[in-house]
Amino acid sequence: MSQALTRIRLLELQLLVLPGLLTVVGLLTIFLARSGTTTWHWSDIAISVFYMGLVLATSIWLSLIGFRGDQVLLPIVATLTGLGLLLIQRLQPALAARGKGWATIAQRQVIYITAGFAVLWLIIAFVRRLDWLRRYKYTLATIGIALMLATMLFGQEIGGAKLWLRFGTITVQPSELTKLLLVIFLAAYLDEYRDLIASGYRWGPITIPPLPYLLPMSIMWGLSILMVILQNDLGIALLFFSIFLVMLYVATGRLGYVLAGAVAFAIAAYVALHLVGHARVRVAVWLNPWSDPQGTGFQLIQAEYAFAHGHIFGTGLGFGMPQAIPVVETDYSFAAFGEELGLLGTVAILALYLLLVARGALIAFQARDTFLRLLAAGLSAVLGLQAFIILAGDVRLLPLTGITLPFISAGGSSLLTNFLIVGLLLKISAHGEPA
């Protein structure tokens, strides 16, 4: 009996109370605001009840199998995903009005979330160890490059950026999976050669790694610039190269490498921006959205109005006008919360992402194996950098990009990949312990 009690993930269960109540009360608020009455039935919040049950079932299952991994990661992810669920339910009537293809977006999001938890369950249940990933680093890197090349050649252009592959009625964003493959490759490569890369040789005051080991850096630099030119998207290129620089720093501890890489990327991106019309327009709109307030600057201006309308406490869920922002469900989900939850709500979301990255960094720090340490650091960097790039775009610290806000923005590719990342982080946190 006492042994069974020690297997209960009590901290995790306690922390899951908040996201459970958040989704139930949030959806009820949205329904009452929409209907204008105080009458409701349990069927009106069935989706939130289902979500709460899914999250609690995951935690209970982890307790039953005696999983000893991190107990804070799942509650953070459940809260962010719950916010995303509320956002899509909130926007569903406005999105359905766009046309037939949008009518089921809320239902699809629930399916994606369920599939995401299924991915997490599968990783925990069937992936015993992660060491084998390092043996297939070049294979995984080749798959990632092939996915990006396929997107460049055959991708569908949406909103000026060519980031999606269409298979019948299904649209997939390969860059989401590629970022994960990139992290696995870099973790394995840097684990194998980090001593050589860190030692290098002196050229005046500069330390340069042995030239053969500069090859991955050159490939990454070239692919990033190719993405800007051929896919018309600076965000993915910035994300990929930032991941590379973070992992290079974690592996070698040499800030000079990071600065040199950042300068090289900045110079190349500056040149590429003068060659790519779409990216150039995004930068121009970022600098002055009022130059074309009814055209290219409309989305950004509407987002700024939303933040301003939210003030400190927000208008309340269901009482704002987030649907006035074009593509709010992906590009400007943070602005939607800024309007309805106010400054306090946006600060809370930022805090959740900071906690997520900090927890990932702690898992990396506690990992016994160097490869797993680099892998955890890279996976945490993916989530943190992606959130930073899109949040910075929403508040005009950076030009807006086409990447999604992890766990919150609508989209199946992003959700499934992010749950895959969380599953890997949980496995790393339990490395060496019985699963």
Side-chain angles (χ1 to χ4, degrees), residues 211-293:
L211 290 178
Y213 302 107
L214 283 174
L215 187 59
M217 180 185 288
S218 303
I219 293 174
M220 279 305 306
W221 180 83
L223 282 176
S224 300
I225 301 307
L226 267 178
M227 288 176 209
V228 177
I229 296 174
L230 298 180
Q231 292 187 292
N232 288 340
D233 191 85
L234 179 62
I236 294 297
L238 181 60
L239 176 63
F240 280 23
F241 205 75
S242 299
I243 293 168
F244 172 72
L245 293 181
V246 168
M247 295 191 67
L248 184 63
Y249 178 72
V250 171
T252 65
R254 291 194 174 277
L255 188 60
Y257 292 173
V258 177
L259 294 176
V263 170
F265 177 77
I267 293 172
Y270 179 80
V271 174
L273 286 176
H274 283 76
L275 300 175
V276 181
H278 175 72
R280 190 167 58 248
V281 168
R282 288 217 170 189
V283 172
V285 170
W286 168 58
L287 294 173
N288 183 17
W290 291 99
S291 62
D292 187 11

Side-chain angles (χ1 to χ4, degrees), residues 19-355:
L21 291 175
L22 173 74
T23 50
V24 172
V25 175
L27 188 58
L28 179 59
T29 305
I30 291 170
F31 171 78
L32 295 178
R34 188 181 296 160
S35 64
T37 67
T38 56
T39 304
W40 62 280
H41 301 283
W42 283 103
S43 59
D44 299 322
I45 57 172
I47 289 177
S48 285
V49 174
F50 167 75
Y51 176 73
M52 185 174 68
L54 183 65
V55 172
L56 291 176
T58 301
S59 180
I60 293 170
W61 174 71
L62 290 175
S63 294
L64 290 174
I65 65 172
F67 184 73
R68 297 182 180 276
D70 190 89
Q71 295 195 45
V72 179
L73 211 54
L74 181 61
I76 298 173
V77 170
T79 308
L80 290 170
T81 308
L83 287 170
L85 180 69
L86 290 178
L87 177 69
I88 299 304
Q89 294 296 321
R90 164 71 181 89
L91 295 171
Q92 202 273 337
L95 296 177
R98 292 181 185 177
K100 185 178 179 182
W102 294 87
T104 58
I105 186 171
Q107 291 86 342
R108 292 204 305 269
Q109 190 71 4
V110 175
I111 294 172
Y112 296 148
I113 291 173
T114 308
F117 274 95
V119 168
L120 191 149
W121 281 46
L122 289 173
I123 291 176
I124 299 295
F126 295 108
V127 179
R128 307 297 298 178
R129 300 184 66 85
L130 298 172
D131 305 21
W132 60 273
L133 286 171
R134 76 177 90 196
R135 296 200 299 271
Y136 299 98
K137 56 181 178 294
Y138 293 111
T139 303
L140 297 174
T142 303
I143 293 173
I145 292 173
L147 285 173
M148 296 311 297
L149 290 175
T151 309
M152 292 175 190
L153 295 174
F154 311 110
Q156 181 182 20
E157 187 170 315
I158 300 176
K162 190 187 287 187
L163 299 175
W164 294 267
L165 288 176
R166 177 173 286 279
F167 302 95
T169 58
I170 300 174
T171 303
V172 178
Q173 191 170 356
S175 59
E176 291 292 336
L177 181 59
T178 303
K179 70 186 181 188
L180 177 58
L181 298 176
L182 170 67
V183 169
I184 296 172
F185 166 73
L186 287 175
Y189 185 88
L190 291 171
D191 175 44
E192 186 172 355
Y193 297 108
R194 69 190 181 98
D195 291 336
L196 290 170
I197 295 174
S199 58
Y201 58 86
R202 304 288 298 180
W203 186 47
I206 303 173
T207 301
I208 300 177
L211 290 178
Y213 302 107
L214 283 174
L215 187 59
M217 180 185 288
S218 303
I219 293 174
M220 279 305 306
W221 180 83
L223 282 176
S224 300
I225 301 307
L226 267 178
M227 288 176 209
V228 177
I229 296 174
L230 298 180
Q231 292 187 292
N232 288 340
D233 191 85
L234 179 62
I236 294 297
L238 181 60
L239 176 63
F240 280 23
F241 205 75
S242 299
I243 293 168
F244 172 72
L245 293 181
V246 168
M247 295 191 67
L248 184 63
Y249 178 72
V250 171
T252 65
R254 291 194 174 277
L255 188 60
Y257 292 173
V258 177
L259 294 176
V263 170
F265 177 77
I267 293 172
Y270 179 80
V271 174
L273 286 176
H274 283 76
L275 300 175
V276 181
H278 175 72
R280 190 167 58 248
V281 168
R282 288 217 170 189
V283 172
V285 170
W286 168 58
L287 294 173
N288 183 17
W290 291 99
S291 62
D292 187 11
Q294 297 298 322
T296 55
F298 182 73
Q299 186 187 34
L300 205 156
I301 291 171
Q302 290 298 101
E304 291 191 345
Y305 276 137
F307 281 118
H309 191 208
H311 294 285
I312 296 177
F313 299 104
T315 60
L317 276 175
F319 292 96
M321 292 285 291
Q323 64 273 18
I325 308 172
V327 204
V328 64
E329 71 280 4
T330 53
D331 290 357
Y332 277 105
S333 52
F334 189 60
F337 285 117
E339 181 181 19
E340 299 202 335
L341 300 183
L343 176 64
L344 293 180
T346 55
V347 169
I349 292 173
L350 283 174
L352 284 169
Y353 281 112
L354 287 174
L355 282 173

